[in-house]
Amino acid sequence: MGLIRGVARTAVVAGTASAVSGRVQRRQQGRWAAQDAQNAQPAYAEPQYAPPPPQYAAPPPAAPAGDDMDAKLAQLRELAGLRDQGVLTPAEFDAQKARILSA
C-alpha cells in the first residue's frame, strides 16, 4: 500500500504543479500580448503627407483686353501724329512703340 500511496501523492503533486504552471504561463502570455499590442504600430499605417501649401487670395481680375488694347492703339496713333509732324524722329517713334506694345 505504501507504494500506491506514494505514487498517488506524486501524481497529485505533479498534476497540481502542471495546472498552476499552465495558468501562470497563460497569464504571462496574455500580459505580453497586451504589451505588444500597445507598443506595436499598425502594419499599414496611414502615410504621412506634408501639409498642403497655404492658399492665397486670387489675383485681381485682369483688365479687359479690349480696353487696354484700345488705349495702346490711341497712344500709337498719337505718336504717329507726332512723328508725321516732325516732332519725333523715326528712331524715337520706334522706341516708344516698342515700350507701349511690351507693356
Side-chain angles (χ1 to χ4, degrees):
M1 270 302 230
L3 183 61
I4 293 178
R5 192 182 328 160
V7 171
R9 185 180 304 145
T10 302
V12 168
V13 170
T16 304
S18 294
V20 170
S21 173
R23 197 171 342 139
V24 169
Q25 185 178 8
R26 282 190 302 274
R27 189 173 65 208
Q28 285 178 341
Q29 285 178 348
R31 286 183 185 169
W32 292 335
Q35 285 178 352
D36 288 344
Q38 288 176 352
N39 294 337
Q41 294 180 357
Y44 297 103
E46 185 70 26
Q48 299 295 319
Y49 296 108
Q55 296 294 322
Y56 298 106
D67 292 341
D68 189 38
M69 187 56 72
D70 290 340
K72 287 181 180 182
L73 288 174
Q75 287 179 336
L76 288 174
R77 284 188 196 109
E78 185 179 328
L79 284 174
L82 292 174
R83 181 195 61 196
D84 293 342
Q85 293 174 4
V87 177
L88 291 177
T89 64
E92 292 172 329
F93 173 77
D94 290 337
Q96 291 299 319
K97 181 175 87 171
R99 182 185 60 80
I100 291 170
L101 293 176
S102 68

